[in-house]
Amino acid sequence: GILFCLDVEENAMERKTTTTTRGQSGDASALEETVAVFKADPHGIKNLHDTASRRYGVFCRRRTADLYTTFFALIGEEDLSWCGEATYVPSFLANVPWPGKTNERPVSGGRSTKSKKMHGLVRYAYKGNAIEECRKDGKEHGLRITCTVMGDLWIRLYKNGQRLAQIVLHADLSVQSAIDGGGLKKLRQHMHLVRDCFVQEEVKGEEGKR
């Protein structure tokens, strides 16, 4: 099905790790701005399956920019000055989740003012699934959250386009499977931060069902 295709296509598109340049000072303000825009419009991703939309809606209301900066630090990316090279764009075309013109679809979020590639935090729909992830000069970099049409959650950690780890959670947030690409231990140690974003407070229960 769709979930199997996600893994098959990912494995078929393995790309080499590249060296990135680092800035001189940390700056997460652009990332925080994007999170604020997303949070103000939790249903802003079009063409989502209802199940994926509900799961993403809860996540969108609860996660903060700190979630992403924490996982950036896990891959050695504590200097976030590069995030300042991006501007928020409500909608632009990009090749996601993988390279190639056949994967071109609308994306919203950070885009580099220089290269015009995805840069910072972006979100988009893929076959009804909701994907929110960090990119650096177009490459997956940091955390990717996928809310699937089945209610499962695919959590991945990347560095410069290379997948370091993957954990798939059932709808009840229990672990379904895991793949280690060198960073699984770190991802597991911080999974509670991701789970917390999907735990709906009772007082917000009705709101989250919309």
Side-chain angles (χ1 to χ4, degrees):
I2 291 175
L3 301 186
F4 178 73
C5 288
L6 281 170
D7 223 20
V8 170
E9 292 177 38
E10 172 71 15
N11 292 335
M13 296 302 298
E14 287 294 337
R15 300 188 302 286
K16 295 180 180 179
T17 302
T18 59
T19 303
T20 60
T21 56
R22 298 175 65 85
Q24 300 301 314
S25 61
D27 180 12
S29 59
L31 189 65
E32 292 167 354
E33 177 187 353
T34 301
V35 168
V37 173
F38 285 177
K39 186 170 289 190
D41 188 14
H43 298 293
I45 306 179
K46 307 304 179 185
N47 302 316
L48 291 183
H49 185 280
D50 287 346
T51 299
S53 182
R54 284 195 298 271
R55 297 309 302 267
Y56 178 75
V58 174
F59 169 78
C60 189
R61 293 183 182 95
R62 294 182 59 82
R63 63 90 176 79
T64 66
D66 288 343
L67 176 69
Y68 295 107
T69 57
T70 296
F71 282 90
F72 275 145
L74 293 182
I75 61 173
E77 194 73 89
E78 297 183 5
D79 177 355
L80 300 179
S81 58
W82 58 273
C83 289
E85 300 169 2
T87 55
Y88 176 83
V89 179
S91 181
F92 62 100
L93 293 177
N95 299 331
V96 289
W98 301 284
K101 192 70 174 179
T102 56
N103 288 309
E104 186 178 74
R105 50 181 47 87
V107 171
S108 62
R111 184 170 66 175
S112 171
T113 55
K114 298 178 181 178
S115 69
K116 304 303 180 183
K117 294 179 180 180
M118 293 174 288
H119 203 65
L121 184 65
V122 298
R123 68 180 182 181
Y124 54 91
Y126 172 67
K127 296 185 178 180
N129 305 288
I131 298 180
E132 184 169 300
E133 64 180 355
C134 293
R135 295 264 177 163
K136 187 174 182 180
D137 201 26
K139 297 180 182 294
E140 304 97 323
H141 193 67
L143 190 64
R144 172 189 283 179
I145 304 291
T146 302
C147 302
T148 75
V149 299
M150 300 298 292
D152 297 337
L153 306 173
W154 290 50
I155 318 302
R156 288 178 171 177
L157 185 63
Y158 287 92
K159 184 173 183 179
N160 300 329
Q162 179 183 12
R163 187 180 66 187
L164 300 181
Q166 171 182 292
I167 293 179
V168 177
L169 301 180
H170 290 289
D172 64 2
L173 303 183
S174 62
V175 175
Q176 179 183 129
S177 63
I179 297 175
D180 189 8
L184 184 58
K185 182 178 180 180
K186 290 181 178 180
L187 183 58
R188 275 181 170 153
Q189 290 174 339
H190 293 80
M191 275 302 294
H192 64 282
L193 300 176
V194 176
R195 282 193 175 97
D196 287 348
C197 297
F198 287 94
V199 177
Q200 205 165 182
E201 297 175 17
E202 291 184 12
V203 293
K204 297 181 180 179
E206 292 303 314
E207 177 187 356
K209 293 177 182 177
R210 291 182 193 171

